[in-house]
Amino acid sequence: MSNKNRIVLKAIVMLMAYGAIMAAVLYILNCCKFDKWKAVTWSIFMLFGVLQSYRWYQNKSEELNDKED
């Protein structure tokens, strides 16, 4: 597996873990139920998670490109 593939895989796993953790936290903190506002809150947190994962992916990709040059 190439370094580029590892970076992509780590970014995907990071995003999936973040989503699962945020869903579990919101579910537990809100009396074990979801309604539309909890779904909206989870969506906002997931948007933040996507942005963070993308930022991490960009940094790692730049580091890898710098090492290859």
Side-chain angles (χ1 to χ4, degrees):
M1 184 181 279
S2 73
N3 288 338
K4 183 82 168 175
N5 290 343
R6 284 186 185 150
I7 291 172
V8 170
L9 184 61
K10 284 182 183 180
I12 291 170
V13 170
M14 182 189 318
L15 185 59
M16 288 173 35
Y18 182 81
I21 291 168
M22 292 284 46
V25 167
L26 288 174
Y27 183 75
I28 291 168
L29 292 178
N30 293 296
C31 302
C32 298
K33 62 183 177 180
F34 273 115
D35 63 10
K36 70 178 182 177
W37 294 113
K38 274 62 169 192
V40 169
T41 304
W42 183 80
S43 299
I44 291 168
F45 280 122
M46 278 306 296
L47 179 61
F48 177 73
V50 167
L51 293 174
Q52 288 295 96
S53 294
Y54 183 72
R55 186 181 309 162
W56 178 85
Y57 171 76
Q58 287 292 73
N59 287 338
K60 291 296 179 180
S61 294
E62 288 174 6
E63 288 176 13
L64 183 63
N65 289 338
D66 290 343
K67 285 181 184 178
E68 289 178 356
D69 291 341

